[in-house]
């Protein structure tokens, strides 16, 4: 899953980026409102963490411009804990959730996971489908409730994205955009490599190849 973090505090942004990458996200970082607004409009993200007190352009204006342009990316707003009016204003212009500073990274991760599941219509505590149960905290997957498989960081990102989009045709380009940061430079065959690794761990029929088109997770062979 690919995430945009818009936060101007250098120490906090570095810490959050590292924590979120350990949690299995590809994270792009913007340090001001203008660059955040640009990245949010030109890149494809699964979720955005948006601070409101930004230089060059306030966070509320960034969010307002995205929504006016028809950009419906899920957004969690970061606010000062006692700034209730900022929370109200954020919801009015299209925020999906908010979190007051200071906060624990575990709460942010829980809100991210809950928001993503809600958007994709998945209400169960863990991500499940096609006989798989994904443990997002341990980054492991169980097969038919028994066998547990360890996942590398990229395997975890890729499988989580597939499980959130079952039955949908996903191109290689689309998958690359949601698994790697914008400054990443993966090899041209990296998606095929990691899909083959997942097939060896989980079964060759779970991810189907549509030649010349892309991949489908969960389609019956």
């Amino acid at each position: 899953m690919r995430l945009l973090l818009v936060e101007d505090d250098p120490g906090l942004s570095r810490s959050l980026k590292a924590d979120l990458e350990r949690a299995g996200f590809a994270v792009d970082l913007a340090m001001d409102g203008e660059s955040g607004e640009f990245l949010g409009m030109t890149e494809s993200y699964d979720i955005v963490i948006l601070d409101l007190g930004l230089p060059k352009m306030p966070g509320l204006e960034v969010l307002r411009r995205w929504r006016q342009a028809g950009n419906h990316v899920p957004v969690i707003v970061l606010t000062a804990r006692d700034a209730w009016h900022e929370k109200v204003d954020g919801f009015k212009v299209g925020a999906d959730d908010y979190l007051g500073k200071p906060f624990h990274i575990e709460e942010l991760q829980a809100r991210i996971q809950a928001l993503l599941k809600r958007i994709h219509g998945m209400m169960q505590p863990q991500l499940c489908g096609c006989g798989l149960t994904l443990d997002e905290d341990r980054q492991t997957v169980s097969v038919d409730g028994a066998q547990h498989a360890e996942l590398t960081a990229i395997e975890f990102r890729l499988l989580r994205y597939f499980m959130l989009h079952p039955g949908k045709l996903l191109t290689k380009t689309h998958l690359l955009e949601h698994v790697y940061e914008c400054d990443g430079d993966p090899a041209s065959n990296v998606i095929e490599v990691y899909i083959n690794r997942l097939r060896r761990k989980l079964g060759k029929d779970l991810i189907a190849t549509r030649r010349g088109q892309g991949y489908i997770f969960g389609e019956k062979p």
Side-chain angles (χ1 to χ4, degrees), residues 18-104:
D19 287 335
L20 291 167
E21 286 175 341
R22 282 192 291 271
F25 292 93
V27 181
D28 292 336
L29 177 62
M31 300 291 288
D32 61 73
E34 286 185 356
S35 57
E37 192 265 344
F38 175 78
L39 283 173
M41 290 298 294
T42 57
E43 299 291 334
S44 182
Y45 293 104
D46 298 290
I47 198 164
V48 175
I49 310 300
L50 177 66
D51 187 30
L52 294 188
L54 297 169
K56 298 187 179 181
M57 185 186 298
L60 280 179
E61 181 61 23
V62 172
L63 181 55
R64 184 178 292 110
R65 292 189 182 193
W66 286 343
R67 296 309 190 230
Q68 288 176 346
N71 183 348
H72 302 297
V73 62
V75 174
I76 297 177
V77 165
L78 302 181
T79 72
R81 188 169 294 277
D82 59 349
W84 62 268
H85 59 283
E86 289 187 340
K87 300 170 186 176
V88 173
D89 292 342
F91 282 127
K92 284 182 177 179
V93 298
D96 297 278
D97 197 1
Y98 73 87
L99 185 60
K101 293 180 178 179
F103 56 85
H104 294 287

Side-chain angles (χ1 to χ4, degrees), residues 128-134 141-147 163 206 217:
C128 304
C130 301
L132 304 182
T133 301
L134 189 65
V141 61
S142 64
V143 182
D144 295 325
Q147 175 189 348
M163 292 181 71
L206 275 175
F217 172 80

Side-chain angles (χ1 to χ4, degrees), residues 110-150:
R111 287 179 179 272
I112 291 172
Q113 292 172 3
L115 179 55
L116 289 173
K117 289 187 179 76
R118 186 166 74 244
I119 288 168
H120 292 283
M122 299 177 179
M123 295 296 102
Q124 66 269 30
Q126 289 185 306
L127 194 55
C128 304
C130 301
L132 304 182
T133 301
L134 189 65
D135 188 324
E136 296 181 79
D137 294 326
R138 295 181 175 85
Q139 297 188 19
T140 61
V141 61
S142 64
V143 182
D144 295 325
Q147 175 189 348
H148 287 264
E150 300 284 339

